[in-house]
Amino acid sequence: MITGDFTEDYETMVPFQALLAMGYQVDAVCPGKKAGEAVATCIHDFEGDQTYTEKRGHNFTLNATFAEVDVASYDALVIPGGRAPEYLRLDGAVIDAVKHFMDAGKPVAAICHGAQILTAAGVVKGKTVSAYPACRPEVELAGATYADIAVDAAVTDGNLVTAPAWPAHPDWLAQFNAVLGGAAAGSLAA
C-alpha cells in the first residue's frame, strides 16, 4: 500500500485492516518515511455540499519503509485516495512502482483520488477506470474510459480494480480479492 500524508482515513485504514483480516500480509509505505512513523489522514464526507468536506482524521502508522521496498517481491498494490495522491504522483519512485505492477499484470486496487497516481504513471490507456468524479478529466485525458458508476460500486478491468470513494469498500475489496485469486496468500505492497 502506497500512502502519504492526508490520505483518506477510511480508504487507508479499512482496506489495510480488511486485507489483514483476510490473511494477507500488507506493507504500508510512504516515500520519505520509515516503518513506525505515521502519516496524517483526513476524513472526507458527503454532507450535501457541492463537493466532499474534509476533517482531520487519525494518524496511520506505517509498517514498512518505502526506500527499502523491493516491488518485485510483492504480489499486488493498493492505492488509497485522499489528498496524498496529488503529491505522491510527483515522486518518480512511486510512478516506477506503479508501472512495475501494471506492466507485470499484478493486481492493483485504486480508489477515489488514487487514480491520479495511475494517470500520472500513464498506465490506464484503454482501460475502464472509476475514480472520484473530480478526477474524471484526468482519467479521460490519460486515455481511459471513465466508469461513471454508483459511489458504492467498483469496476474491474483485467488486473485493475477501481472505485469512486470509500462507500464502495465492500464491492471494491470483494472484486480485488477475486483478482487476487480469492484466497489470502502472498504479500501486498500497500
Side-chain angles (χ1 to χ4, degrees):
M1 176 178 281
I2 297 176
T3 191
D5 282 322
F6 297 99
T7 183
E8 209 291 325
D9 192 280
Y10 297 155
E11 293 170 1
T12 304
M13 292 198 183
V14 171
F16 181 80
Q17 293 171 341
L19 291 165
L20 288 173
M22 287 184 236
Y24 294 103
Q25 174 188 326
V26 185
D27 289 346
V29 298
C30 174
K33 296 195 180 200
K34 297 178 181 176
E37 294 181 331
V39 294
T41 73
C42 58
I43 297 171
H44 291 163
D45 208 350
F46 311 101
E47 300 175 301
D49 300 299
Q50 291 180 327
T51 189
Y52 57 85
T53 59
E54 182 173 271
K55 298 163 186 71
R56 177 69 164 87
H58 301 90
N59 289 328
F60 176 76
T61 303
L62 304 166
N63 63 350
T65 302
F66 182 77
E68 297 172 0
V69 167
D70 173 15
V71 295
S73 69
Y74 289 92
D75 299 321
L77 173 65
V78 177
I79 306 171
R83 286 193 291 126
E86 145 186 304
Y87 77 87
L88 290 174
R89 65 184 166 171
L90 303 176
D91 188 306
V94 169
I95 297 302
D96 289 344
V98 172
K99 287 180 178 179
H100 164 79
F101 285 98
M102 291 298 290
D103 290 347
K106 295 179 179 182
V108 174
I111 191 164
C112 199
H113 286 77
Q116 291 179 310
I117 295 174
L118 298 173
T119 60
V123 296
V124 295
K125 187 174 185 176
K127 296 245 181 217
T128 298
V129 176
S130 180
Y132 188 71
C135 296
R136 182 180 189 148
E138 293 171 75
V139 168
E140 292 176 341
L141 287 168
T145 299
Y146 178 75
D148 189 6
I149 57 178
V151 72
D152 61 352
V155 62
T156 298
D157 187 335
N159 64 315
L160 180 62
V161 182
T162 55
W166 58 260
H169 278 153
D171 197 28
W172 182 61
L173 288 167
Q175 289 186 41
F176 187 49
N177 190 45
V179 172
L180 289 167
S187 302
L188 301 179

